[in-house]
Amino acid sequence: MRAISQVFASLMLIAITLAVMALYVVNLSAYAGAKKGLIYEVFSYRRKQLLERLSLIYVFTNSTHVNLVVYNYGDVDIVVKTILLDNDNIPRENYTIINVYGEDLGDVISTSNRLAIISIKTGMSLTKGVHVVTLITESNNAFTFTFGV
């Protein structure tokens, strides 16, 4: 019975070590690539939030509606997800977003049609005093405006 020579055993250990190191490097680069993609996604999402800009131009009310004239001065379209009036959630069927010509814009205040009117159906006249309306966008920006009646 012959034993394995020391040179051959050393070469086998080096080959095993190199194979394990190659697997480690491949897994490490895949992990780093996934983390790089996640970081890019987070920064891209935050960039979109920073590019959203909305300004309240004018508010007019009547006995059943609050109408907000808003202007999108950002670099991206704003998609309205939720509207709160005095911290009460307004259901989607109780508000409309239209342009100055009365055309329905859906939920989007675009950069091509920057001026929009958000008409909120309140069902009753608001009490005298200061009221707060908050628009929450698809990218979770919250634009809060106060107005007096």
Side-chain angles (χ1 to χ4, degrees), residues 63-74:
S63 61
T64 59
H65 287 81
V66 173
N67 298 294
L68 310 166
V69 180
V70 294
Y71 184 77
N72 176 3
Y73 66 95

Side-chain angles (χ1 to χ4, degrees), residues 2 10 13 35 63 71 92 98 103 108-109 128 130 132 138:
R2 267 183 80 181
S10 296
L13 285 174
K35 288 297 179 187
S63 61
Y71 184 77
R92 179 59 187 101
I98 59 174
E103 300 165 340
V108 180
I109 304 169
K128 290 202 180 289
V130 176
V132 178
E138 192 175 58

Side-chain angles (χ1 to χ4, degrees), residues 57-132:
I57 304 297
Y58 187 71
V59 177
F60 56 100
T61 63
N62 60 27
S63 61
T64 59
H65 287 81
V66 173
N67 298 294
L68 310 166
V69 180
V70 294
Y71 184 77
N72 176 3
Y73 66 95
D75 293 332
V76 295
D77 294 347
I78 294 176
V79 179
V80 178
K81 183 172 70 172
T82 306
I83 295 179
L84 304 172
L85 179 61
D86 294 332
N87 287 330
D88 291 329
N89 187 22
I90 305 297
R92 179 59 187 101
E93 61 271 6
N94 286 352
Y95 68 88
T96 56
I97 301 174
I98 59 174
N99 64 13
V100 292
Y101 304 110
E103 300 165 340
D104 190 6
L105 299 176
D107 291 331
V108 180
I109 304 169
S110 69
T111 54
S112 62
N113 193 7
R114 295 182 180 273
L115 195 61
I117 300 169
I118 301 172
S119 182
I120 303 169
K121 181 180 172 186
T122 59
M124 60 183 175
S125 54
L126 294 174
T127 59
K128 290 202 180 289
V130 176
H131 297 278
V132 178

Side-chain angles (χ1 to χ4, degrees), residues 31-46:
Y31 176 76
K35 288 297 179 187
K36 181 178 163 187
L38 178 65
I39 290 171
Y40 175 79
E41 187 176 317
V42 167
F43 278 106
S44 175
Y45 182 76
R46 183 65 182 134

